[in-house]
Amino acid sequence: MSMQNNSEPENHTDWGHYSSPATPWLWARVNGQSRPAHQGVAMDHEKLNVLISEERLQARIKELGKEIRAHYGDQCITCIGVLKGSFMFMADLVRAIGGDVRCEFLGVSSYQGGTKSTGVVRITEDLRHPIENQHCLIVEDIIDTGLTMDYLLKLLEVRGPKTLKTCSLLDKPSNRDVPLSTDFVGFSIPDEFVVGYGLDLGELYRNLPYIAVYSP
Ligand code: PRP
């Protein structure tokens, strides 16, 4: 997510709130976590505190895979990864699920009409195949306000899947803007700005093998 301005955030601890109208460029809530303005072109590891280690992540993903496979039995599951954030989780999750799995991807981008997400999501890359009569599982890296998932559920439901469920590696239940019931969740986390394992700040940090809190 590229930011429009490199100004220093005034309030470094104001995680989880929309940017003030006076400083909309500092804490752009662009359909996801409220995020600090990106300051550079390189990762700054001194600003990271590991929240979920690689070992915990991988162990939980293996459990999640077993839970999901147990739920569906030997039926084929169409896993729908939501780009970009889910790419790494999707890769590990489908291996942990095992059995018959179809992999599909959806590219989404928020409608940036202001500093607050409207919940209007633009599809940048649609599914390549119909999902009618299939068991579909939307795979996300994080559910924050719930606006993206709420939109995706409505979008896909009308395409006639046999079942439609959700799986998110991370969940911030305290930050919901829309009521949303989740099906499979890896970790519930506090309302902190997190990066790594697919989640970015200014398109960096996605390749970290762990989840870390970023403190500017
Ligand atoms: C993140 C994440 C979800 C969405 C969740 O995407 O991958 O799609 O935000 O936020 P919400 O619950 O508040 O709607 P982001 O917009 O950061 O794009 P990205 O996946 O390309 O990093």
Side-chain angles (χ1 to χ4, degrees):
M1 193 77 59
S2 59
M3 307 304 298
Q4 302 298 314
N5 188 295
N6 287 328
S7 303
E8 182 74 23
E10 289 174 342
N11 181 352
H12 290 183
T13 59
D14 190 20
W15 307 112
H17 290 86
Y18 291 116
S19 50
S20 99
T23 57
W25 52 89
L26 298 181
W27 291 89
R29 180 159 193 138
V30 190
N31 200 56
Q33 306 178 86
S34 297
R35 56 186 63 199
H38 185 234
Q39 301 298 309
V41 293
M43 288 193 284
D44 185 347
H45 288 269
E46 292 191 356
K47 293 176 177 170
L48 302 180
N49 279 304
V50 176
L51 181 68
I52 307 171
S53 69
E54 181 175 7
E55 290 71 26
R56 282 185 65 208
L57 268 183
Q58 292 302 327
R60 180 66 187 123
I61 291 167
K62 284 191 172 61
E63 285 177 2
L64 260 183
K66 285 182 184 155
E67 287 172 29
I68 291 167
R69 181 43 77 199
H71 175 81
Y72 289 97
D74 60 4
Q75 301 177 99
C76 183
I77 308 165
T78 300
C79 290
I80 301 172
V82 183
L83 297 172
K84 294 180 187 175
S86 74
F87 77 99
M88 205 175 283
F89 177 46
M90 175 88 167
D92 286 335
L93 184 69
V94 293
R95 284 179 282 187
I97 292 173
D100 291 338
V101 169
R102 292 175 202 265
C103 296
E104 294 284 342
F105 291 92
L106 256 180
V108 299
S109 166
S110 59
Y111 183 79
Q112 299 179 32
T115 57
K116 181 169 178 171
S117 169
T118 60
V120 178
V121 179
R122 187 166 58 91
I123 301 299
T124 57
E125 167 134 5
D126 205 345
L127 300 174
R128 294 203 184 162
H129 303 102
I131 56 169
E132 195 175 352
N133 217 26
Q134 296 176 24
H135 292 291
C136 295
L137 182 66
I138 304 174
V139 178
E140 267 283 25
D141 54 332
I142 187 166
I143 299 175
D144 189 0
T145 64
L147 292 168
T148 303
M149 188 61 90
D150 183 60
Y151 177 88
L152 290 175
L153 284 166
K154 288 171 182 154
L155 176 88
L156 297 178
E157 190 62 59
V158 296
R159 298 187 185 185
K162 187 178 277 181
T163 61
L164 182 60
K165 292 193 177 293
T166 65
C167 177
S168 185
L169 177 65
L170 306 177
D171 187 17
K172 283 188 191 174
S174 61
N175 211 32
R176 285 287 193 283
D177 280 354
V178 290
L180 188 75
S181 63
T182 51
D183 297 307
F184 301 99
V185 168
F187 300 88
S188 283
I189 62 169
D191 191 10
E192 305 269 17
F193 184 80
V194 290
V195 296
Y197 199 71
L199 291 103
D200 76 306
L201 173 58
E203 291 301 332
L204 294 174
Y205 302 94
R206 291 194 198 271
N207 60 336
L208 297 175
Y210 52 83
I211 300 288
V213 173
Y214 178 94
S215 303

